[in-house]
Amino acid sequence: MRHLARLADYCSITNMHTKNLAIVWAPNLLRSKQIESACFSGTAAFMEVRIQSVVVEFILNHVDVLFSSKLSSVIRDGAGGCF
């Protein structure tokens, strides 16, 4: 994810800003067996992929916070008391 976020830094050259990167990469990063099944209609599949791309775009826009060592330690310390 950090690599894709770094690619977005060059959007003025490549025109691959976070939204475009999310549209391209979301189906691979958040693969859904439901979408791949034959019973999923075209409209429903499109909506699912759209949701996936919004999630990936959010992650790319907040990669520094979501993947920071500080957040990891807070989650690890907080989860230790739950078990």
Side-chain angles (χ1 to χ4, degrees):
M1 294 307 279
R2 286 184 181 145
H3 176 70
L4 292 177
R6 274 186 250 128
L7 285 176
D9 291 339
Y10 296 96
C11 65
S12 62
I13 298 167
T14 64
N15 200 31
M16 290 301 287
H17 45 81
T18 55
K19 185 170 187 154
N20 285 345
L21 288 167
I23 290 168
V24 171
W25 283 96
N28 293 308
L29 295 172
L30 301 175
R31 176 165 257 142
S32 171
K33 291 189 186 280
Q34 290 176 334
I35 292 175
E36 294 173 0
S37 72
C39 64
F40 227 71
S41 73
T43 304
F46 174 77
M47 291 305 295
E48 184 75 17
V49 170
R50 178 147 166 68
I51 291 167
Q52 289 174 341
S53 69
V54 169
V55 169
V56 171
E57 183 179 3
F58 176 84
I59 293 170
L60 290 175
N61 285 326
H62 299 90
V63 74
D64 292 335
V65 174
L66 295 171
F67 295 100
S68 73
S69 58
K70 183 178 179 181
L71 181 62
S72 296
S73 66
V74 167
I75 291 170
R76 185 177 51 249
D77 294 343
C82 294
F83 291 78

